[in-house]
């Protein structure tokens, strides 16, 4: 079982890198825990608040746990596609991702929110 931390802030940021402490997601997006630098960049108008998504807490995997779960088909690995990671969560995000994957995933795109109603 992986690690869990309830008191951790994680940011997905779109655009200019305002910290040296980050992990690149794509050319346009990066992930950082540098809360002080992100807050300062927003307050100084160096970074637009609309270009940030904030997550509270962290849950990770122990060594090889994710690989084992992928092998057991508990996860599906897909190529990254053009998705704005900083958009607000809404009821269409999951459907949009499943539609983009196509094929067998279209079943999930068109299923009701409460699958027991299907």
């Amino acid at each position: 079982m992986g690690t869990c931390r309830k008191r951790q802030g994680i940011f997905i940021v779109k655009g200019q890198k305002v910290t040296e402490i980050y992990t690149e997601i794509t050319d346009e997006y990066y992930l950082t825990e540098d809360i002080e630098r992100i807050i300062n960049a927003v307050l100084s108008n160096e970074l637009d608040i609309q270009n940030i998504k904030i997550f509270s807490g962290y849950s990770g995997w122990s060594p090889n746990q994710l690989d084992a779960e992928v092998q057991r088909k508990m996860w599906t690995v897909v190529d990254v596609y053009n998705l704005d990671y900083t958009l607000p969560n809404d009821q269409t995000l999951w459907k949009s991702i499943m539609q983009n994957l196509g094929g067998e995933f279209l079943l999930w795109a068109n299923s009701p929110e409460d699958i027991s109603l299907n």
Side-chain angles (χ1 to χ4, degrees), residues 3-116:
T3 59
C4 293
R5 287 177 257 162
K6 293 181 181 177
R7 296 178 185 249
Q8 180 167 353
I10 299 173
F11 304 87
I12 292 180
V13 184
K14 179 180 180 180
Q16 177 185 339
K17 293 174 180 69
V18 296
T19 177
E20 293 181 16
I21 306 166
Y22 67 88
T23 301
E24 192 169 272
I25 299 172
T26 68
D27 290 340
E28 191 175 10
Y29 297 92
Y30 62 95
L31 189 69
T32 185
E33 299 174 37
D34 192 351
I35 187 169
E36 186 174 321
R37 185 64 189 106
I38 294 298
I39 289 172
N40 288 335
V42 169
L43 293 176
S44 67
N45 294 319
E46 188 179 352
L47 186 60
D48 186 339
I49 193 78
Q50 299 299 316
N51 290 335
I52 303 170
K53 184 170 271 191
I54 304 168
F55 297 89
S56 177
Y58 170 83
S59 178
W61 289 270
S62 59
N64 300 316
Q65 180 183 352
L66 181 57
D67 291 333
E69 290 179 8
V70 169
Q71 287 178 356
R72 289 193 311 265
K73 299 193 183 287
M74 298 170 76
W75 295 94
T76 298
V77 179
V78 298
D79 291 329
V80 175
Y81 69 96
N82 190 17
L83 175 68
D84 186 342
Y85 299 100
T86 57
L87 284 176
N89 291 342
D90 65 13
Q91 299 303 315
T92 64
L93 179 61
W94 177 256
K95 183 173 184 148
S96 172
I97 291 170
M98 293 297 105
Q99 286 174 330
N100 187 68
L101 293 174
E104 65 188 68
F105 297 100
L106 290 175
L107 173 69
W108 298 109
N110 296 312
S111 64
E113 186 173 326
D114 180 351
I115 200 153
S116 69

